[in-house]
Amino acid sequence: MKFSKILLLNAFCLFLLQACGGGGGGGSSSNPGSNPNPVGNPNPDISGRIFIGNRFGPWILDLSTGHYSSIPGAVWESNPNYPGLADFTAYPLSYSGSEYIETVENCQVEFGNDRDCIVFHDENGSINSQFQLPDITFGPARLSRDGVSVAVVVENPNSGPFSILHVYDRSGTLTARVDQRQIEAHNFDWLMSDQVVYASGQTLYATGQAPLLTIPVAQGVPGEPSVSPDGTQIAFVIGEDTSSGVLGTIWVINSDGSGLRQLTAANADTTNHRSPFWSPDGEWIFVTDQVSFETSAYVVPSRAERAPLIQSGTTVARPVLSYYEEVNAPPGSTDPIPLNARFGVRAGSLAWLPE
């Protein structure tokens, strides 16, 4: 069953890469296209690096320059260690970036018995350790805040929800499971080192707690929770559950379920906000706006209310500018690359690291 799903996913990803210019298959950031009009800091008042570790990565965006560089050690195309069907995603350790975890779907493929792997890298890309998952995963996996545990959505081999959440230690031993509810990839985050917040159906849950919040059906469904650096707040999406994830507006609640607040405003026609994640100081929330096949990126003050996401005009939200097309530039290209708000990364596996 997974072979057919992988082939469909790969075909869809190739279509998206050609349509919106995303992906990790182009040039190297060591030889990006030229920029005839370089600027100083294209994103004043914000700093740090954006970790992009999903199927369209792997890249690091330096906010102070707008330029991209490859994630160290992440060789995701034609990797001799894995079969051609392997699929890669990655997340860094919390907000430090001192380590990152790579999920390799189909790291070992045998007829009727494909396997997935979890690989731990240090910040320079060297492999610290790895283990093979006993379950079929729908990555990416995420490390707990103390780096001790790994949470990942896996296929349920038994009756009940199709995709469930499992927690492993660093040796690959299953230590906890949430198998009574359907949980999709990207719909969870670590609240504390021993607690996971996740979206399932109409409700946000946290392990070991009563349900945090239930959304009325008419309002949409919750998805993509993201916990603030101090663990006291959760940003998430409320909207329509589509084949590519939940698209809607961004909301924030306290980690005990109180204080619900709408962060971004709905657009006049369609609203496709998604993928919220926090700055290391908790002052900003990074948000993507998926418009057709082009995605734009914004930062919104974390205390804002109903902030519109627009490219120009008076708003507290600010577009994130970068030389995005350099991720597609052939090595040695001298074609000029414009500075713009395109981001091209649609969902998940995104994190904001310090400088």
Side-chain angles (χ1 to χ4, degrees), residues 269-292:
D269 44 12
T270 60
T271 302
N272 297 318
H273 307 165
R274 68 176 312 172
S275 306
F277 57 97
W278 300 73
S279 63
D281 60 9
E283 294 296 317
W284 299 90
I285 296 176
F286 191 106
V287 177
T288 60
D289 186 12
Q290 182 176 312
V291 182
S292 182

Side-chain angles (χ1 to χ4, degrees), residues 233-311:
Q233 297 182 87
I234 305 165
F236 63 103
V237 186
I238 298 179
E240 180 184 1
D241 190 6
T242 72
S243 59
S244 60
V246 179
L247 304 177
T249 51
I250 310 301
W251 297 67
V252 178
I253 59 168
N254 297 325
S255 57
D256 62 1
S258 65
L260 179 64
R261 167 171 51 91
Q262 185 174 344
L263 183 77
T264 64
N267 297 345
D269 44 12
T270 60
T271 302
N272 297 318
H273 307 165
R274 68 176 312 172
S275 306
F277 57 97
W278 300 73
S279 63
D281 60 9
E283 294 296 317
W284 299 90
I285 296 176
F286 191 106
V287 177
T288 60
D289 186 12
Q290 182 176 312
V291 182
S292 182
F293 285 107
E294 291 190 7
T295 300
S296 298
Y298 296 82
V299 290
V300 185
S302 58
R303 296 179 178 84
E305 292 192 31
R306 297 179 178 270
L309 302 186
I310 56 177
Q311 293 293 312

Side-chain angles (χ1 to χ4, degrees), residues 2-330:
K2 193 173 182 183
F3 278 114
S4 60
K5 181 170 65 178
I6 291 166
L7 292 175
L8 287 173
L9 176 61
N10 286 345
F12 180 65
C13 287
L14 287 173
F15 171 72
L16 286 181
L17 289 174
Q18 293 170 355
C20 68
S28 167
S29 59
S30 62
N31 287 298
S34 65
N35 173 28
N37 298 303
V39 298
N41 186 343
N43 300 296
D45 301 326
I46 58 174
S47 62
R49 300 166 294 150
I50 304 300
F51 182 103
I52 306 166
N54 69 7
R55 293 177 174 91
F56 302 104
W59 300 96
I60 294 284
L61 166 60
D62 186 334
L63 290 171
S64 66
T65 66
H67 288 294
Y68 295 77
S69 59
S70 297
I71 294 175
V75 181
W76 290 358
E77 290 191 354
S78 303
N79 190 319
N81 298 316
Y82 304 109
L85 285 175
D87 197 4
F88 304 85
T89 52
Y91 259 118
L93 174 62
S94 191
Y95 291 89
S96 71
S98 59
E99 184 178 27
Y100 70 88
I101 181 173
E102 181 183 21
T103 306
V104 187
E105 297 182 44
N106 302 293
C107 65
Q108 177 181 334
V109 176
E110 299 175 357
F111 184 74
N113 187 30
D114 48 323
R115 293 291 184 180
D116 302 333
C117 295
I118 298 295
V119 184
F120 301 90
H121 295 262
D122 65 21
E123 59 184 336
N124 297 315
S126 299
I127 295 178
N128 292 330
S129 62
Q130 57 187 307
F131 65 84
Q132 192 174 92
L133 280 164
D135 307 289
I136 294 175
T137 181
F138 305 110
R142 302 190 69 161
L143 278 164
S144 60
R145 291 176 174 242
D146 58 6
V148 170
S149 300
V150 178
V152 65
V153 173
V154 301
E155 181 182 73
N156 190 353
N158 305 314
S159 60
F162 178 73
S163 54
I164 56 179
L165 188 71
H166 278 183
V167 178
Y168 305 88
D169 64 19
R170 292 180 72 108
S171 67
T173 301
L174 180 65
T175 60
R177 55 196 301 163
V178 181
D179 56 6
Q180 73 273 30
R181 298 187 180 94
Q182 175 84 8
I183 303 173
E184 303 294 338
H186 303 298
N187 275 357
F188 70 94
D189 193 9
W190 284 95
L191 187 61
M192 301 298 291
S193 290
D194 59 349
Q195 289 182 300
V196 177
V197 58
Y198 62 92
S200 179
Q202 298 297 130
T203 303
L204 277 180
Y205 299 90
T207 54
Q209 298 185 37
L212 299 179
L213 178 71
T214 297
I215 305 300
V217 173
Q219 191 173 352
V221 297
E224 297 189 359
S226 174
V227 180
S228 63
D230 62 7
T232 62
Q233 297 182 87
I234 305 165
F236 63 103
V237 186
I238 298 179
E240 180 184 1
D241 190 6
T242 72
S243 59
S244 60
V246 179
L247 304 177
T249 51
I250 310 301
W251 297 67
V252 178
I253 59 168
N254 297 325
S255 57
D256 62 1
S258 65
L260 179 64
R261 167 171 51 91
Q262 185 174 344
L263 183 77
T264 64
N267 297 345
D269 44 12
T270 60
T271 302
N272 297 318
H273 307 165
R274 68 176 312 172
S275 306
F277 57 97
W278 300 73
S279 63
D281 60 9
E283 294 296 317
W284 299 90
I285 296 176
F286 191 106
V287 177
T288 60
D289 186 12
Q290 182 176 312
V291 182
S292 182
F293 285 107
E294 291 190 7
T295 300
S296 298
Y298 296 82
V299 290
V300 185
S302 58
R303 296 179 178 84
E305 292 192 31
R306 297 179 178 270
L309 302 186
I310 56 177
Q311 293 293 312
S312 61
T314 303
T315 175
V316 297
R318 305 180 186 180
V320 175
L321 302 180
S322 71
Y323 300 97
Y324 174 70
E325 292 179 8
E326 72 183 8
V327 304
N328 272 343

